[in-house]
Amino acid sequence: QVQLVESGGGLVQPGGSLRLSCAASGVIFSIPTMAWYRQAPGEQRELVAEVDHYGDSNYSDSVKGRFTISRDNAKKTMSLQMDDLKPDDAAVYYCYAKVRVLIGGTGTYTNVDVWGQGTLVNVSS
């Protein structure tokens, strides 16, 4: 079973920085896409940033220039460096991965969507 475990959330003052990390475990053939989503109270979950296997990344307009996503394919990890944090960045941040796994006994592969449990980021003075 594939699992994602996040770490690094916490309380930070406006203008401060935090670094979130996500580690994947399980029997994984490859991870085509990894991403960070966030959900604030009363809001829908939204994409923050995503990165593919080759390191190509995309960011939401609200975090562009302040957040940096990165991944280590060999270690199956992903990070989100968040700088110049604003109160609007406060939310539960979720790690997401599209994981390619072998279907047991068939010799074929399929993609599955996997989510972490979430980590809380609070930005307040």
Side-chain angles (χ1 to χ4, degrees):
Q1 184 175 356
V2 179
Q3 290 186 321
L4 299 175
V5 177
E6 302 118 332
S7 61
L11 173 64
V12 64
Q13 292 186 341
S17 298
L18 279 176
R19 186 177 182 86
L20 305 182
S21 297
C22 174
S25 63
V27 181
I28 298 170
F29 177 74
S30 67
I31 309 178
T33 302
M34 300 189 81
W36 288 98
Y37 285 74
R38 68 186 181 188
Q39 187 168 20
E43 302 290 334
Q44 289 190 334
R45 191 172 297 189
E46 63 173 356
L47 176 67
V48 177
E50 61 183 349
V51 59
D52 68 13
H53 180 83
Y54 303 100
D56 292 332
S57 58
N58 290 303
Y59 298 88
S60 70
D61 288 342
S62 63
V63 307
K64 202 171 294 184
R66 300 187 297 120
F67 291 10
T68 303
I69 191 170
S70 60
R71 62 184 283 177
D72 185 323
N73 291 333
K75 296 181 179 178
K76 298 185 180 67
T77 58
M78 173 180 63
S79 295
L80 184 70
Q81 177 65 37
M82 305 185 293
D83 298 319
D84 189 23
L85 281 159
K86 306 177 185 302
D88 285 349
D89 294 319
V92 177
Y93 283 69
Y94 296 92
C95 174
Y96 162 84
K98 177 180 289 185
V99 178
R100 194 154 183 83
V101 298
L102 178 66
I103 301 174
T106 69
T108 59
Y109 295 87
T110 189
N111 291 332
V112 294
D113 295 325
V114 185
W115 292 89
Q117 79 284 0
T119 185
L120 179 64
V121 172
N122 200 357
V123 184
S124 175
S125 55

